Every structure is written in C-alpha cells, then in structure tokens.
Amino acid sequence: METILYPTGTGAERSAAVRAAARLLRAGELVAIPTETVYGLAANALDPAAVETIFRVKGRPNDNPLIVHIADLPALDDVVREVPESARKLAERFWPGPLTMILPRDPRIPDATTAGLDTVAVRMPSHPVARAIIRASGLPIAAPSANLSGLPSPTTAAHCMRDLSGKVPAVVDGGACEFGVESTVITLAGETPRLLRPGAVTLEQLRETLGEVEVDPAVTGRLAEGQAAASPGMKYKHYSPKAEVTLVRGSAAAFRAYVNALPGEGIYAMVFSGEGEGLAKPFFEYGAEGDHLTQARELFLLLRQLDDLGARAVYVRTPATDGVGLAVYNRLIRAAAFHFVELGGPAGREDTNE
C-alpha cells in the first residue's frame, strides 16, 4: 500500500499527491480519500468493475447502494436525469457539504453503483482534498466509507490503513474528519422529500429549506422486512465494534448505578462530559449532553478505541434526538443492533418508534 500524505510538504508535493490519486482512479483502482464526514473508499462511479472491487474489498453486500461524489454543480447533470427545484434549493444552501440527495439516475451510472435502483445518491463534499482529487480525475466518484463493512466508519487515515492494509494502492491523508459521521441522505425521487439517513445537515434545516420533509421509519427503527435499502446506512446492524453495544436510557445517576452493578470484566461505559465521576467501570466521555457535533466527531473514534482495548461490552448513555443528535442516535442504534435498556422499564425492550 502506498500512502499519499496530502497536508504535509510543499504545494508542489501536495499537487503531485492529488494527481497520483486521480491517475489511480482513472486506471480503475481504489483510493481511500478524506472527506468532511468520514474517509471514503473511492472508485470511478462509471466503471462497473471498479465499483464491484469496492464491494469485494469492503465485504459489502451488493444490495447496498453507493454515493456518487462530484466536485461542482454542473457535474450533477452528468449523473442524474433531472434536477428538480427542491434539489437546487438544497444545493444552494448545503453544497459543498455533508448532504446527499437521491434523484433519478442518468443511464450512464451503472447498476453496480446504485444496487440496481433507478435512483442515484449524489453529494458534493466540502473537503478541499476530496474535491481536488475528484476534479483532477475528471470523473464522478463512488465512495462509501473506507472501512471493512459493518465496522465503525474511519475518521482518520490510520483507521483506513488498519482496515485496508494490502487491499488498496493508496490512502490519502487529509487529517481528521470535521464531522465524524456520514452525510445526511434525503430522497427527492418521491412526491414528498424524505430523510433516509440523518447527518450534520439536520432535519430541522431541511424543513427550513423545503417545508415538508418526511422521516423514513428506518431512521430510528429497522428496515422493513423485504424493503430494499434506498440509502447506505439503513441496514439492521452497522457501524459496530467487536464489543456488544447496549444503549441505556435514564438519568446520569441511574446509568451510573446500573453500570456499576454489572458483573464481569471488559465492561466499558460511554457517557457525556462530566458524568464519569463515580463510575466503577472504565469510561469514555463523548461530548457534553447537548453538544451533538462533538458527540458525532467522537463516536466512531471511541468505538474503535474500545476495540483496541479489547472491550467485551459497551454501555452508552443515549443522546437526545434533536439536531445532529438524531445522527448520533441513528448510528448508535445500528451499532447496538437495537439492543438497549430503559431504566425503570423492561430491560432489552426494542424501540423502533421514536
């Protein structure tokens, strides 16, 4: 594996790194690239063989569609059949940035990229390295998260190298990701815009821009039996460390008493800032209770650290679901495979209706 370090060195060296990544993409190779959300495993979105290599390297199910990344707005016309006014409004406010729109696909986009769907997911990342590489390649780029399927998404180049060592020719190091969770996904292919995956662009912001926006039940629950995944991140279990994750609803005091009473070794807690005092188990703080942006940035990083520590079980104090908190909650319920404890209620009860 060749590692291309973008942020270091002279301007000429940085430009050479971008050109090298672009050459690999044009040759049908895979390259792990930074974005403002998480690192992506990039390939030519128009090349079915290159796209199929993404699925093989990640161990990703072929029915899980990919997101196509573009560098500028005119490129949108090359990957979709039509651009409705709703898409133009969203692009004007949120692009470049962590928002993915699902639209009717152009015939040039192969089935491999869309998992056979008639729609395509598209976004314009704001990370300057990602956009420079896409622009230099002259291609739309398919790029799911640059990790092995099911594991926590990578937010540093080191995460990519750990998961993909020997599997891809290059990892571009663009530093730590700004947001730490994948992009918001909204479909505009139906009568009413629908949120399929929450992210740093919030439901509240989408509704400010478009008016009515529905929330797919799979945002806070399981994908319905037999329902095709219209967006990445809708599967039952995802973003998961090796440890068993359990979400715990309740006050800080109730959480502390519950975790302290758990028997056995290898048990860790994830709590909000300032809540670790009094815990008898090792713990990590993943941001203040109302600071959802910090929670998002810390989430996957901490889940990976817990794997490094050999954690057997992780108990997480559940975040609120307003703003970016909905994205954190969405990732956690999939990391936990919908297993949680309601303090004061029945343990292990599933909740798919929040």
Side-chain angles (χ1 to χ4, degrees):
M1 175 187 292
E2 174 191 0
T3 303
I4 304 173
L5 299 177
Y6 182 88
T8 60
T10 66
E13 289 168 337
R14 292 195 295 270
S15 297
V18 167
R19 291 196 301 271
R23 282 196 301 271
L24 287 167
L25 292 169
R26 288 195 298 270
E29 299 281 2
L30 307 188
V31 181
I33 66 172
T35 79
E36 73 279 16
T37 56
V38 301
Y39 274 71
L41 185 56
N44 178 359
L46 304 178
D47 182 348
V51 169
E52 287 164 6
T53 303
I54 290 178
F55 286 96
R56 184 172 67 253
V57 165
K58 282 178 59 71
R60 180 186 178 99
N62 287 77
D63 63 350
N64 201 359
L66 305 180
I67 294 173
V68 174
H69 295 63
I70 58 177
D72 48 53
L73 196 56
L76 184 60
D77 292 322
D78 297 329
V79 298
V80 304
R81 288 201 308 271
E82 56 184 278
V83 183
E85 183 60 26
S86 56
R88 297 192 186 281
K89 287 181 179 179
L90 290 173
E92 182 178 358
R93 180 171 179 186
F94 300 113
W95 275 7
L99 176 68
T100 294
M101 293 185 273
I102 294 180
L103 296 161
R105 69 164 167 158
D106 187 274
R108 286 171 287 189
I109 303 297
D111 285 346
T113 301
T114 67
L117 299 174
D118 291 331
T119 54
V120 61
V122 189
R123 90 175 185 98
M124 185 194 304
S126 62
H127 197 295
V129 180
R131 293 183 71 195
I133 291 171
I134 296 167
R135 189 174 289 113
S137 75
L139 299 166
I141 298 299
S145 55
N147 59 326
L148 299 181
S149 187
L151 294 181
S153 296
T155 57
T156 69
H159 296 162
C160 301
M161 293 176 68
R162 180 180 303 176
D163 285 7
L164 303 175
S165 179
K167 299 177 184 292
V168 298
V171 173
V172 180
D173 188 344
C177 297
E178 177 183 0
F179 294 112
V181 294
E182 299 81 359
S183 62
T184 302
V185 179
I186 185 172
T187 179
L188 303 176
E191 290 185 6
T192 304
R194 173 174 286 217
L195 177 68
L196 301 183
R197 183 178 72 185
V201 174
T202 67
L203 174 63
E204 294 84 353
Q205 290 174 317
L206 294 173
R207 285 174 170 165
E208 286 173 7
T209 307
L210 297 182
E212 183 181 5
V213 175
E214 298 174 345
V215 178
D216 194 281
V219 166
T220 56
R222 300 183 192 222
L223 196 64
E225 186 71 28
Q227 181 183 352
S231 162
M234 296 182 75
K235 295 290 188 175
Y236 170 70
K237 189 173 183 181
H238 205 35
Y239 319 115
S240 187
K242 296 172 185 175
E244 180 181 85
V245 178
T246 300
L247 305 188
V248 182
R249 285 198 180 101
S251 67
F255 177 92
R256 188 162 47 246
Y258 176 82
V259 171
N260 285 348
L262 293 169
E265 300 297 322
I267 296 173
Y268 288 76
M270 283 178 57
V271 294
F272 303 125
S273 299
E275 293 183 354
E277 185 177 355
L279 275 170
K281 307 291 185 183
F283 65 89
F284 288 96
E285 296 179 344
Y286 73 117
E289 186 166 4
D291 186 357
H292 302 316
L293 281 171
T294 297
Q295 292 166 17
R297 279 195 301 270
E298 293 291 318
L299 179 61
F300 291 142
L301 180 65
L302 292 183
L303 290 179
R304 283 179 172 267
Q305 288 182 8
L306 287 161
D307 271 349
D308 292 341
L309 292 167
R312 177 176 61 82
V314 181
Y315 291 81
V316 184
R317 195 144 109 74
T318 308
T321 56
D322 60 305
V324 179
L326 182 60
V328 179
Y329 179 77
N330 170 270
R331 303 319 190 270
L332 279 169
I333 58 176
R334 280 167 169 77
F338 295 86
H339 179 235
F340 72 91
V341 170
E342 187 84 50
L343 297 180
R349 178 176 59 83
E350 291 189 355
D351 184 351
T352 60
N353 299 311
E354 185 162 343

